């Protein structure tokens, strides 16, 4: 509403200014008559040199017999009148509108026009998105009959869409379901990692369902004052009840629905508990004829109160995970519609290069790519832009300000070469994509591998290969410099985490039974794990197995690199010169080694660009 008030106010102000200008113009116009002093006027009367007088308050407009007109101001009109009468001068008296009359008139007219404008605005139909301010004078509910997001904007999560479409068709026409005796699920919970499109999907439903849609964010319920949140919940459901069939969408429901038991703050807990209770009561309250669908989204289902999740409340839970390669390709299609793409850019290739990206990441990627094209003064986005954008997002911006000394660059080149050679040599490793010694974000160098397809289950061998490759950097430094540097910090951390997970979660230790020692409890965001053992022996077993696993991998890395030391020298040299080697360049370099083994080394040198 506030928007209309503002519009009308603006309108009135404009009118006011126009009128003032008009007024000013009028006074100016009257002043165009030449003025003459009062004494001269009296003299004119005495000399019978006045034909006509027009009187307006103290203003006198005088016309002489020879047609001259002038203006004068009389200090006391009562004194002039007898003289005029005596001399038989024609007199007209005009009413004098004082400036106050004008202003009052102006005000009244503006009000009337403003009112007309306002009603015209209101008549233009229901506003499409209306912010209701009824609840504690805070903007909370957006009641949207016409959201501009459609199902077409949501790609790659077909199952979630189908599930929801079914529920919506029920909302629109429950009779076929009622005939068979089926009831609508009361609540649908969308759960999944951040950025996978939960909110987007809800917006699409608002646009496509054709029923009223009330949207509220969980954090809007959370207030310092006890009872405010609960009353908001009641207000919300009362409003929804009046508009049934309708959808109530609670985004980020974890803000209000977090488990009461696990809550930290004592003060906040009371309020949160009350709000949650109100929500539970309301969800139980409406019966199944009263078709209200409660849709909620969260990325922390693990902390939700179990009471929310029991049947009869959010009894349908839809999990949305980061999309697979096909899903990514579809999402990329949706987002690249808005940008101008060069001929022949393979979106499949982009999708392949972005494992683990969520919808939000992809939206960001496409935008970054377009920005890069603009920076290059190009009209169209090419594949290279997507690659650079991906590196920017995943690795951070190229750190051009960071100047490495020649020694550091050399050791960095050996470190990356170590990773690269292992990634090329070990069977089952993902193909190499890029090796670089340009510092980016927090990382100094990078060796990237890209899987050919998304993988959801990994074999023990594949994981061991991964650890061995991670060990490659440290192994190369050890072979060349016979010392240990800090450059391997991130590698060691990843390798250790992987080894621990293999031993404790996936039962992959050689001399331990296939059992689990740890359980994830952090939901989609990773986080804490629970121990599933209590004995100190188990702790020792785990430690021993993790150490063994890493030692073995490290030994293998050392032995492979030792064997290829000459090649490692050559490749490090090329890397120092070129800074970045992409897939084609790497292919050429490695092809040369293959031929090098077959032929004499003199020829192989010509391969080294
Ligand atoms: P969340 O799951 O955290 O609520 P959002 O729905 O807010 O994620 O997604 C953020 C943005 O990411 C969306 O506005 C959209 O641009 C993009 N996005 C996410 N998922 C998809 C998808 N499946 N299809 C198209 N775009 C998506
Ligand atoms: Mg969201
Ligand atoms: Zn490394």
């Amino acid at each position: 509403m506030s928007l209309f008030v503002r519009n009308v106010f603006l309108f009135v102000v404009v009118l006011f200014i126009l009128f003032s200008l008009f007024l000013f113009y009028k006074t100016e116009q009257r002043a165009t008559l030449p003025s003459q002093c009062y004494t001269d006027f009296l003299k004119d009367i005495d000399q019978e040199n006045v034909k006509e007088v027009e009187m307006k308050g103290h203003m006198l407009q005088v016309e002489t017999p020879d047609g001259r007109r002038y203006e004068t101001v009389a200090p006391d009109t009562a004194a002039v009148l007898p003289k005029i009468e005596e001399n038989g001068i024609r007199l007209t008296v005009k009413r004098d509108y004082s400036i106050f009359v004008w202003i009052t008139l102006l005000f009244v007219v503006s009000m009337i026009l403003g009112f007309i404008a306002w009603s015209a605005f209101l008549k233009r139909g229901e506003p499409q998105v209306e912010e209701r301010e009824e609840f504690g004078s805070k903007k909370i509910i957006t009641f949207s009959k016409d959201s501009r997001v459609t199902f077409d904007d949501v790609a790659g999560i077909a199952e979630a869409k189908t599930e929801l479409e079914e529920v919506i068709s029920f909302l629109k026409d429950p009779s076929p379901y009622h005939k068979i005796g089926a009831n609508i699920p009361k609540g649908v919970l969308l759960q999944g990692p951040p950025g996978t499109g939960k909110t987007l999907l809800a917006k699409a439903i608002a646009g496509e369902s054709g029923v009223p849609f009330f949207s509220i964010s969980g954090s809007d319920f959370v207030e310092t004052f006890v009872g405010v949140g609960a009353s908001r919940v009641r207000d919300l459901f009362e409003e929804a009840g009046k508009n049934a069939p309708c959808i109530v969408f609670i985004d980020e429901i974890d803000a209000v629905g977090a488990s009461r038991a696990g809550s930290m703050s004592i003060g906040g807990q009371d309020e949160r508990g009350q709000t949650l209770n109100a929500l539970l009561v309301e969800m139980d309250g409406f019966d199944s004829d009263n078709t209200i669908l409660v849709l909620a989204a969260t990325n922390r289902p693990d902390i939700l109160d179990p009471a929310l999740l029991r049947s009869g409340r959010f009894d349908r839970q839809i999990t949305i995970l980061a999309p697979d390669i096909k899903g990514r390709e579809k999402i990329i299609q949706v987002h690249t519609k808005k940008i101008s793409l060069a001929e022949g850019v393979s979106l499949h290739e982009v999708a392949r290069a972005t494992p683990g990206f969520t919808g939000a990441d992809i939206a960001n990627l496409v935008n970054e790519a377009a920005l890069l094209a603009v920076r290059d003064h190009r009209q169209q986005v090419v594949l290279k832009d997507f690659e650079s954008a991906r590196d920017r997002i995943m690795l951070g911006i190229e750190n051009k300000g960071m100047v490495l000394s020649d020694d550091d660059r050399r050791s960095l080149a050996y470190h990356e070469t170590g990773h690269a050679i292992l990634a090329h040599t070990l069977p089952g490793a993902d193909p190499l994509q890029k090796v670089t010694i340009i510092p980016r974000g927090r990382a100094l160098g990078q060796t990237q591998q890209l899987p050919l397809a998304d993988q959801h289950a990994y074999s023990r061998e594949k994981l061991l290969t991964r650890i061995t490759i991670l060990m490659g950097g440290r192994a190369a430094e050890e072979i060349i410099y016979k010392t240990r540097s800090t450059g391997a910090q991130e590698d060691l951390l990843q390798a250790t985490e992987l080894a621990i997970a293999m031993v404790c979660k996936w039962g992959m230790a050689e001399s331990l039974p296939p059992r689990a020692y740890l359980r994830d409890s952090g939901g989609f965001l990773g986080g804490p794990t629970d121990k599933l053992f209590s004995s100190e022996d188990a702790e020792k077993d785990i430690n021993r197995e993790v150490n063994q696993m890493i030692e073995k991998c490290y030994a293998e890395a050392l032995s492979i690199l030792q064997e290829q030391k000459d090649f490692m020298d050559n490749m490090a040299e090329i890397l120092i010169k070129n800074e970045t080697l992409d897939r084609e360049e790497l292919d050429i370099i490695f092809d040369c080694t293959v031929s090098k083994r077959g032929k004499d080394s003199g020829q192989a040198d010509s391969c080294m660009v």
Side-chain angles (χ1 to χ4, degrees), residues 166-186:
E166 185 200 11
V167 181
I168 289 165
S169 82
F170 189 110
L171 268 188
K172 282 181 172 165
D173 177 21
S175 56
Y177 296 84
H178 279 158
K179 231 179 254 166
I180 232 171
N183 264 332
I184 185 178
K186 269 189 184 166

PDB file of all heavy atoms in Angstrom, residues 166-186:
ATOM      1  N   GLU A 166       1.717 -33.160  -8.210  1.00  0.00           N
ATOM      2  CA  GLU A 166       0.623 -34.010  -7.752  1.00  0.00           C
ATOM      3  C   GLU A 166      -0.139 -33.329  -6.621  1.00  0.00           C
ATOM      4  O   GLU A 166      -1.372 -33.248  -6.628  1.00  0.00           O
ATOM      5  CB  GLU A 166       1.191 -35.346  -7.273  1.00  0.00           C
ATOM      6  CG  GLU A 166       0.133 -36.329  -6.886  1.00  0.00           C
ATOM      7  CD  GLU A 166       0.689 -37.415  -5.986  1.00  0.00           C
ATOM      8  OE1 GLU A 166       1.820 -37.285  -5.507  1.00  0.00           O
ATOM      9  OE2 GLU A 166      -0.016 -38.380  -5.752  1.00  0.00           O
ATOM     10  N   VAL A 167       0.595 -32.803  -5.674  1.00  0.00           N
ATOM     11  CA  VAL A 167      -0.039 -32.140  -4.540  1.00  0.00           C
ATOM     12  C   VAL A 167      -0.863 -30.943  -5.005  1.00  0.00           C
ATOM     13  O   VAL A 167      -1.971 -30.689  -4.534  1.00  0.00           O
ATOM     14  CB  VAL A 167       1.039 -31.685  -3.538  1.00  0.00           C
ATOM     15  CG1 VAL A 167       0.382 -31.025  -2.347  1.00  0.00           C
ATOM     16  CG2 VAL A 167       1.862 -32.860  -3.096  1.00  0.00           C
ATOM     17  N   ILE A 168      -0.294 -30.237  -5.980  1.00  0.00           N
ATOM     18  CA  ILE A 168      -1.002 -29.044  -6.447  1.00  0.00           C
ATOM     19  C   ILE A 168      -2.275 -29.411  -7.190  1.00  0.00           C
ATOM     20  O   ILE A 168      -3.312 -28.769  -7.036  1.00  0.00           O
ATOM     21  CB  ILE A 168      -0.068 -28.206  -7.340  1.00  0.00           C
ATOM     22  CG1 ILE A 168       1.008 -27.574  -6.468  1.00  0.00           C
ATOM     23  CG2 ILE A 168      -0.840 -27.131  -8.059  1.00  0.00           C
ATOM     24  CD1 ILE A 168       2.156 -27.033  -7.238  1.00  0.00           C
ATOM     25  N   SER A 169      -2.202 -30.490  -7.963  1.00  0.00           N
ATOM     26  CA  SER A 169      -3.414 -30.892  -8.683  1.00  0.00           C
ATOM     27  C   SER A 169      -4.492 -31.268  -7.679  1.00  0.00           C
ATOM     28  O   SER A 169      -5.679 -31.040  -7.902  1.00  0.00           O
ATOM     29  CB  SER A 169      -3.109 -32.046  -9.633  1.00  0.00           C
ATOM     30  OG  SER A 169      -3.128 -33.262  -8.925  1.00  0.00           O
ATOM     31  N   PHE A 170      -4.076 -31.811  -6.559  1.00  0.00           N
ATOM     32  CA  PHE A 170      -5.044 -32.115  -5.503  1.00  0.00           C
ATOM     33  C   PHE A 170      -5.693 -30.835  -4.987  1.00  0.00           C
ATOM     34  O   PHE A 170      -6.910 -30.755  -4.842  1.00  0.00           O
ATOM     35  CB  PHE A 170      -4.329 -32.817  -4.348  1.00  0.00           C
ATOM     36  CG  PHE A 170      -5.253 -33.365  -3.306  1.00  0.00           C
ATOM     37  CD1 PHE A 170      -5.428 -34.729  -3.161  1.00  0.00           C
ATOM     38  CD2 PHE A 170      -5.956 -32.519  -2.460  1.00  0.00           C
ATOM     39  CE1 PHE A 170      -6.278 -35.236  -2.203  1.00  0.00           C
ATOM     40  CE2 PHE A 170      -6.816 -33.018  -1.502  1.00  0.00           C
ATOM     41  CZ  PHE A 170      -6.982 -34.378  -1.370  1.00  0.00           C
ATOM     42  N   LEU A 171      -4.859 -29.827  -4.754  1.00  0.00           N
ATOM     43  CA  LEU A 171      -5.378 -28.558  -4.246  1.00  0.00           C
ATOM     44  C   LEU A 171      -6.422 -27.979  -5.182  1.00  0.00           C
ATOM     45  O   LEU A 171      -7.443 -27.457  -4.760  1.00  0.00           O
ATOM     46  CB  LEU A 171      -4.236 -27.548  -4.126  1.00  0.00           C
ATOM     47  CG  LEU A 171      -3.491 -27.445  -2.820  1.00  0.00           C
ATOM     48  CD1 LEU A 171      -2.546 -26.266  -2.884  1.00  0.00           C
ATOM     49  CD2 LEU A 171      -4.450 -27.282  -1.659  1.00  0.00           C
ATOM     50  N   LYS A 172      -6.122 -28.079  -6.473  1.00  0.00           N
ATOM     51  CA  LYS A 172      -7.009 -27.461  -7.449  1.00  0.00           C
ATOM     52  C   LYS A 172      -8.325 -28.205  -7.545  1.00  0.00           C
ATOM     53  O   LYS A 172      -9.379 -27.599  -7.642  1.00  0.00           O
ATOM     54  CB  LYS A 172      -6.332 -27.440  -8.824  1.00  0.00           C
ATOM     55  CG  LYS A 172      -5.297 -26.346  -8.957  1.00  0.00           C
ATOM     56  CD  LYS A 172      -4.715 -26.421 -10.356  1.00  0.00           C
ATOM     57  CE  LYS A 172      -3.807 -25.259 -10.658  1.00  0.00           C
ATOM     58  NZ  LYS A 172      -2.991 -25.541 -11.841  1.00  0.00           N
ATOM     59  N   ASP A 173      -8.245 -29.525  -7.550  1.00  0.00           N
ATOM     60  CA  ASP A 173      -9.468 -30.297  -7.687  1.00  0.00           C
ATOM     61  C   ASP A 173      -9.350 -31.580  -6.877  1.00  0.00           C
ATOM     62  O   ASP A 173      -8.861 -32.598  -7.373  1.00  0.00           O
ATOM     63  CB  ASP A 173      -9.706 -30.629  -9.171  1.00  0.00           C
ATOM     64  CG  ASP A 173     -10.935 -31.492  -9.337  1.00  0.00           C
ATOM     65  OD1 ASP A 173     -11.796 -31.492  -8.422  1.00  0.00           O
ATOM     66  OD2 ASP A 173     -11.042 -32.175 -10.372  1.00  0.00           O
ATOM     67  N   PRO A 174      -9.822 -31.552  -5.652  1.00  0.00           N
ATOM     68  CA  PRO A 174      -9.631 -32.720  -4.780  1.00  0.00           C
ATOM     69  C   PRO A 174     -10.594 -33.869  -5.056  1.00  0.00           C
ATOM     70  O   PRO A 174     -10.399 -34.954  -4.522  1.00  0.00           O
ATOM     71  CB  PRO A 174      -9.847 -32.145  -3.369  1.00  0.00           C
ATOM     72  CG  PRO A 174     -10.605 -30.885  -3.553  1.00  0.00           C
ATOM     73  CD  PRO A 174     -10.409 -30.410  -4.950  1.00  0.00           C
ATOM     74  N   SER A 175     -11.607 -33.636  -5.919  1.00  0.00           N
ATOM     75  CA  SER A 175     -12.664 -34.657  -5.993  1.00  0.00           C
ATOM     76  C   SER A 175     -12.176 -36.051  -6.403  1.00  0.00           C
ATOM     77  O   SER A 175     -12.586 -37.033  -5.780  1.00  0.00           O
ATOM     78  CB  SER A 175     -13.800 -34.167  -6.886  1.00  0.00           C
ATOM     79  OG  SER A 175     -13.305 -33.822  -8.149  1.00  0.00           O
ATOM     80  N   PRO A 176     -11.307 -36.181  -7.438  1.00  0.00           N
ATOM     81  CA  PRO A 176     -10.906 -37.559  -7.775  1.00  0.00           C
ATOM     82  C   PRO A 176     -10.166 -38.245  -6.620  1.00  0.00           C
ATOM     83  O   PRO A 176     -10.284 -39.458  -6.444  1.00  0.00           O
ATOM     84  CB  PRO A 176      -9.969 -37.385  -8.978  1.00  0.00           C
ATOM     85  CG  PRO A 176      -9.726 -35.941  -9.124  1.00  0.00           C
ATOM     86  CD  PRO A 176     -10.724 -35.191  -8.336  1.00  0.00           C
ATOM     87  N   TYR A 177      -9.440 -37.462  -5.846  1.00  0.00           N
ATOM     88  CA  TYR A 177      -8.717 -38.053  -4.726  1.00  0.00           C
ATOM     89  C   TYR A 177      -9.688 -38.445  -3.615  1.00  0.00           C
ATOM     90  O   TYR A 177      -9.583 -39.505  -3.017  1.00  0.00           O
ATOM     91  CB  TYR A 177      -7.674 -37.068  -4.192  1.00  0.00           C
ATOM     92  CG  TYR A 177      -6.596 -36.735  -5.196  1.00  0.00           C
ATOM     93  CD1 TYR A 177      -6.779 -35.751  -6.151  1.00  0.00           C
ATOM     94  CD2 TYR A 177      -5.383 -37.441  -5.189  1.00  0.00           C
ATOM     95  CE1 TYR A 177      -5.796 -35.452  -7.073  1.00  0.00           C
ATOM     96  CE2 TYR A 177      -4.389 -37.141  -6.100  1.00  0.00           C
ATOM     97  CZ  TYR A 177      -4.602 -36.148  -7.048  1.00  0.00           C
ATOM     98  OH  TYR A 177      -3.627 -35.866  -7.952  1.00  0.00           O
ATOM     99  N   HIS A 178     -10.642 -37.542  -3.361  1.00  0.00           N
ATOM    100  CA  HIS A 178     -11.619 -37.838  -2.306  1.00  0.00           C
ATOM    101  C   HIS A 178     -12.440 -39.061  -2.648  1.00  0.00           C
ATOM    102  O   HIS A 178     -12.788 -39.843  -1.781  1.00  0.00           O
ATOM    103  CB  HIS A 178     -12.538 -36.623  -2.087  1.00  0.00           C
ATOM    104  CG  HIS A 178     -11.902 -35.589  -1.210  1.00  0.00           C
ATOM    105  ND1 HIS A 178     -12.286 -34.267  -1.204  1.00  0.00           N
ATOM    106  CD2 HIS A 178     -10.889 -35.682  -0.332  1.00  0.00           C
ATOM    107  CE1 HIS A 178     -11.540 -33.597  -0.342  1.00  0.00           C
ATOM    108  NE2 HIS A 178     -10.674 -34.438   0.190  1.00  0.00           N
ATOM    109  N   LYS A 179     -12.744 -39.222  -3.936  1.00  0.00           N
ATOM    110  CA  LYS A 179     -13.552 -40.351  -4.366  1.00  0.00           C
ATOM    111  C   LYS A 179     -12.921 -41.666  -3.932  1.00  0.00           C
ATOM    112  O   LYS A 179     -13.571 -42.599  -3.513  1.00  0.00           O
ATOM    113  CB  LYS A 179     -13.701 -40.328  -5.899  1.00  0.00           C
ATOM    114  CG  LYS A 179     -15.146 -40.442  -6.359  1.00  0.00           C
ATOM    115  CD  LYS A 179     -15.226 -40.397  -7.869  1.00  0.00           C
ATOM    116  CE  LYS A 179     -15.765 -39.069  -8.367  1.00  0.00           C
ATOM    117  NZ  LYS A 179     -15.552 -38.890  -9.804  1.00  0.00           N
ATOM    118  N   ILE A 180     -11.621 -41.709  -4.036  1.00  0.00           N
ATOM    119  CA  ILE A 180     -10.911 -42.950  -3.716  1.00  0.00           C
ATOM    120  C   ILE A 180     -10.583 -43.014  -2.234  1.00  0.00           C
ATOM    121  O   ILE A 180     -10.167 -44.041  -1.709  1.00  0.00           O
ATOM    122  CB  ILE A 180      -9.630 -43.032  -4.587  1.00  0.00           C
ATOM    123  CG1 ILE A 180      -9.567 -44.375  -5.311  1.00  0.00           C
ATOM    124  CG2 ILE A 180      -8.382 -42.824  -3.777  1.00  0.00           C
ATOM    125  CD1 ILE A 180      -8.467 -44.424  -6.330  1.00  0.00           C
ATOM    126  N   GLY A 181     -10.798 -41.889  -1.564  1.00  0.00           N
ATOM    127  CA  GLY A 181     -10.554 -41.884  -0.122  1.00  0.00           C
ATOM    128  C   GLY A 181      -9.181 -41.395   0.269  1.00  0.00           C
ATOM    129  O   GLY A 181      -8.757 -41.585   1.405  1.00  0.00           O
ATOM    130  N   ALA A 182      -8.481 -40.768  -0.673  1.00  0.00           N
ATOM    131  CA  ALA A 182      -7.136 -40.300  -0.348  1.00  0.00           C
ATOM    132  C   ALA A 182      -7.191 -38.882   0.191  1.00  0.00           C
ATOM    133  O   ALA A 182      -8.052 -38.100  -0.170  1.00  0.00           O
ATOM    134  CB  ALA A 182      -6.265 -40.336  -1.603  1.00  0.00           C
ATOM    135  N   ASN A 183      -6.256 -38.580   1.064  1.00  0.00           N
ATOM    136  CA  ASN A 183      -6.189 -37.244   1.630  1.00  0.00           C
ATOM    137  C   ASN A 183      -4.929 -36.527   1.174  1.00  0.00           C
ATOM    138  O   ASN A 183      -3.899 -37.152   0.927  1.00  0.00           O
ATOM    139  CB  ASN A 183      -6.182 -37.313   3.151  1.00  0.00           C
ATOM    140  CG  ASN A 183      -7.579 -37.118   3.690  1.00  0.00           C
ATOM    141  OD1 ASN A 183      -8.402 -36.449   3.060  1.00  0.00           O
ATOM    142  ND2 ASN A 183      -7.857 -37.734   4.825  1.00  0.00           N
ATOM    143  N   ILE A 184      -5.040 -35.243   1.103  1.00  0.00           N
ATOM    144  CA  ILE A 184      -3.867 -34.460   0.715  1.00  0.00           C
ATOM    145  C   ILE A 184      -2.847 -34.494   1.851  1.00  0.00           C
ATOM    146  O   ILE A 184      -3.217 -34.489   3.015  1.00  0.00           O
ATOM    147  CB  ILE A 184      -4.297 -33.001   0.439  1.00  0.00           C
ATOM    148  CG1 ILE A 184      -3.115 -32.202  -0.096  1.00  0.00           C
ATOM    149  CG2 ILE A 184      -4.840 -32.358   1.696  1.00  0.00           C
ATOM    150  CD1 ILE A 184      -3.497 -30.782  -0.434  1.00  0.00           C
ATOM    151  N   PRO A 185      -1.568 -34.599   1.499  1.00  0.00           N
ATOM    152  CA  PRO A 185      -0.593 -34.451   2.581  1.00  0.00           C
ATOM    153  C   PRO A 185      -0.683 -33.029   3.123  1.00  0.00           C
ATOM    154  O   PRO A 185      -0.841 -32.083   2.373  1.00  0.00           O
ATOM    155  CB  PRO A 185       0.750 -34.692   1.891  1.00  0.00           C
ATOM    156  CG  PRO A 185       0.503 -34.584   0.445  1.00  0.00           C
ATOM    157  CD  PRO A 185      -0.941 -34.845   0.206  1.00  0.00           C
ATOM    158  N   LYS A 186      -0.626 -32.915   4.427  1.00  0.00           N
ATOM    159  CA  LYS A 186      -0.778 -31.582   5.016  1.00  0.00           C
ATOM    160  C   LYS A 186       0.446 -30.726   4.789  1.00  0.00           C
ATOM    161  O   LYS A 186       0.350 -29.538   4.528  1.00  0.00           O
ATOM    162  CB  LYS A 186      -0.996 -31.725   6.521  1.00  0.00           C
ATOM    163  CG  LYS A 186      -2.438 -31.823   6.862  1.00  0.00           C
ATOM    164  CD  LYS A 186      -2.595 -31.747   8.352  1.00  0.00           C
ATOM    165  CE  LYS A 186      -4.048 -31.946   8.706  1.00  0.00           C
ATOM    166  NZ  LYS A 186      -4.209 -32.213  10.124  1.00  0.00           N
TER     167      LYS A 186
END
